[in-house]
Amino acid sequence: MHSLNPRYLPIFLARFLLLLGVVAGLTAPASAASVDDQFRAWLQNDLWPEAKAKGISQATFKAAFDGVRPNLKLPDLVLPGEKPKTPKKQHQAEFGSPGAYFAEKIVGAVSSGGRARAGKYTATLSQIEKRYGVPAPILLAIWGRESGFGTAKMPYDAFEVLGTKAFLATRKDMFREELLAALEIVQRGLAPVGAMKSSWAGALGQPQFMPTSFLKHAVDFDGDGKTDIWNSVPDILASIANYLTQYGWVKGRGWGYEVTVPESVSCSLEGPDRGKPIAEWAKLGIKRVGGKAFPASEQKAEGFLMMPAGRNGPAFLATPNFYVLKEYNTSDLYALFIGLAADRIAQGDHRFSADWGAVGGLYRSDIAALQRALEKKGYDVGSADGLPGFKTRRSIGEWQAKNGRAATCYPDTALVQAVK
């Protein structure tokens, strides 16, 4: 072994410290200043070539990102040098009692606000319904839910939000597509840069359209030559209607009915792939709440059993339009909220008759573990994503019935342990 000549010790130490600095720079989380620099380099060297190839001019690109810096307060970001974080606790409406989603304070505000605006915009709503076939109460319920009829603030710059997420978010590819679509909106003159205000998720205007949805579905209904989903009520409502129509809204049908489901009918029959004519569901003993018969026009039409809390809450026979509402937001509870609020706008004080049970207490990781256990046993849960969707709910019911348990079709702590 050779010893180090003392005369070279200062040089050795200097090189060693330099190496430590380089390694630290590669592994340590980036400072805000360095993130800004990397963001600017990414814009110029990565995003701009693709934007240019898609027909975005340099003037549009420059105007969109003038003064824009990454907003590191946005959720779901992964800074350079860091690894994605898994939250220890994951709270979502579906994991507590679903009843919390239907708080009267919120439902009441949407339904009363909708009724007031139904009178104010009667002519506009009539014209929109005539053209698109979507009932006014549905449009008003979505408008109220998404932006409080325009009272909710849209404080973010869309290019700041989408740029940050396309650069740093866990779903970069999705936000990159949305960012390029936002640039296209400006390039085509559909909205100026200054009007591109969004939510923290990058959703635009009062209907809360992502930029790709704006390009596909937003319309100029008031005929002023602008597609203005930020300020024009006719454009806002017609754009929502156009969205639903393009996803298959069936004219003349509602969203569904609250029903009672006898114990002889398994909750595992739930799902949009297990539909039956409504007359057949009626023969099984499923009845409308309140005693009314299903409309004669609905008897031969397809309906789908939907039990978002399994046996622990209200049950519904949904029409295909329910699943169109889910194209607006994939949550069962969201679509139910819109249906309930629309019914109240049209009919007055209307509420679900059945209570939501005291279910919940699980985190997303608990449900994902349950889903993986069911998958190993051969059940189709959709995916082990921690979301108790209809495939997970009915798989739970099937496992419960197979193992001599009362089928509830909803996860709980005891079930998670039992299935493992």
Side-chain angles (χ1 to χ4, degrees):
M1 173 181 280
H2 296 285
S3 61
L4 180 65
N5 189 322
R7 64 186 288 192
Y8 296 117
L9 183 59
I11 298 174
F12 173 80
L13 287 174
R15 289 177 176 175
F16 179 69
L17 291 173
L18 178 62
L19 178 61
L20 283 179
V22 171
V23 172
L26 291 174
T27 59
S31 68
S34 65
V35 171
D36 285 353
D37 292 340
Q38 291 177 59
F39 177 68
R40 282 286 152 192
W42 171 78
L43 285 176
Q44 191 59 39
N45 302 324
D46 188 338
L47 187 66
W48 165 240
E50 183 175 1
K52 182 180 179 181
K54 290 181 176 292
I56 306 301
S57 70
Q58 190 170 43
T60 294
F61 194 86
K62 183 177 179 181
F65 295 107
D66 185 29
V68 170
R69 299 174 58 190
N71 184 343
L72 303 185
K73 295 181 180 180
L74 295 173
D76 302 322
L77 303 184
V78 182
L79 298 181
E82 291 187 351
K83 294 181 180 179
K85 296 178 181 179
T86 302
K88 292 182 180 179
K89 294 185 178 181
Q90 304 182 59
H91 298 284
Q92 293 193 16
E94 287 82 357
F95 307 149
S97 173
Y101 200 91
F102 303 93
E104 180 57 28
K105 181 179 179 180
I106 302 174
V107 179
V110 172
S111 56
S112 62
R115 284 194 296 273
R117 287 161 180 82
K120 184 177 181 180
Y121 299 109
T122 299
T124 297
L125 287 162
S126 178
Q127 292 169 2
I128 292 172
E129 185 168 352
K130 184 177 180 180
R131 180 179 299 183
Y132 296 102
V134 182
I138 291 288
L139 304 179
L140 292 166
I142 292 175
W143 184 22
R145 178 67 186 181
E146 293 298 327
S147 63
F149 306 103
T151 62
K153 303 298 182 184
M154 298 296 158
Y156 294 96
D157 179 290
F159 292 105
E160 176 190 284
V161 172
L162 296 171
T164 299
K165 288 181 171 284
F167 180 55
L168 294 173
T170 52
R171 294 181 292 169
K172 290 185 179 70
D173 291 344
M174 185 200 85
F175 284 106
R176 186 185 184 99
E177 180 184 7
E178 297 297 344
L179 179 56
L180 290 166
L183 287 167
E184 184 180 344
I185 290 170
V186 175
Q187 182 66 39
R188 288 170 53 183
L190 299 174
V193 168
M196 294 288 282
K197 299 300 182 183
S198 75
S199 70
W200 61 266
L204 303 173
Q206 295 186 37
Q208 286 292 273
F209 281 177
M210 294 302 287
T212 52
S213 290
F214 180 101
L215 291 173
K216 293 175 184 175
H217 308 299
V219 296
D220 170 22
F221 195 77
D222 61 14
D224 67 352
K226 297 182 294 184
T227 304
D228 186 358
I229 63 171
W230 291 269
N231 304 294
S232 169
V233 171
D235 290 3
I236 291 162
L237 293 170
S239 295
I240 295 171
N242 188 44
Y243 184 105
L244 297 176
T245 298
Q246 291 192 23
Y247 275 104
W249 185 271
V250 182
K251 185 177 180 179
R253 296 196 75 184
W255 66 270
Y257 309 89
E258 187 184 358
V259 297
T260 57
V261 181
E263 291 295 329
S264 58
V265 177
S266 172
C267 53
S268 63
L269 292 176
E270 180 184 4
D273 54 348
R274 296 185 177 178
K276 303 176 186 293
I278 285 179
E280 289 191 21
W281 289 114
K283 286 179 181 178
L284 293 175
I286 291 178
K287 299 178 181 179
R288 283 182 71 179
V289 165
K292 289 184 179 180
F294 293 106
S297 60
E298 291 279 286
Q299 294 291 326
K300 295 181 180 179
E302 194 170 30
F304 310 91
L305 183 61
M306 211 271 294
M307 303 176 72
R311 289 283 179 184
N312 301 302
F316 307 88
L317 276 186
T319 75
N321 287 338
F322 176 85
Y323 295 97
V324 174
L325 293 175
K326 285 190 67 175
E327 294 290 346
Y328 212 100
N329 181 311
T330 58
S331 166
D332 286 337
L333 300 186
Y334 175 88
L336 274 179
F337 182 101
I338 298 303
L340 173 62
D343 286 350
R344 288 179 63 163
I345 290 169
Q347 304 167 19
D349 189 15
H350 170 76
R351 308 185 186 207
F352 296 143
S353 65
D355 293 328
W356 301 93
V359 296
L362 296 175
Y363 298 127
R364 186 166 174 173
S365 54
D366 298 321
I367 296 173
L370 171 64
Q371 290 168 323
R372 287 191 293 271
L374 287 168
E375 282 183 329
K376 288 180 180 178
K377 298 178 186 298
Y379 292 92
D380 177 11
V381 298
S383 63
D385 57 3
L387 299 170
F390 74 90
K391 286 188 176 181
T392 294
R393 296 194 294 263
R394 71 189 187 192
S395 292
I396 289 170
E398 289 168 355
W399 182 88
Q400 290 170 322
K402 184 177 180 180
N403 287 272
R405 297 168 176 252
T408 65
C409 296
Y410 204 75
D412 58 43
T413 303
L415 180 71
V416 171
Q417 298 302 320
V419 175
K420 285 182 180 179

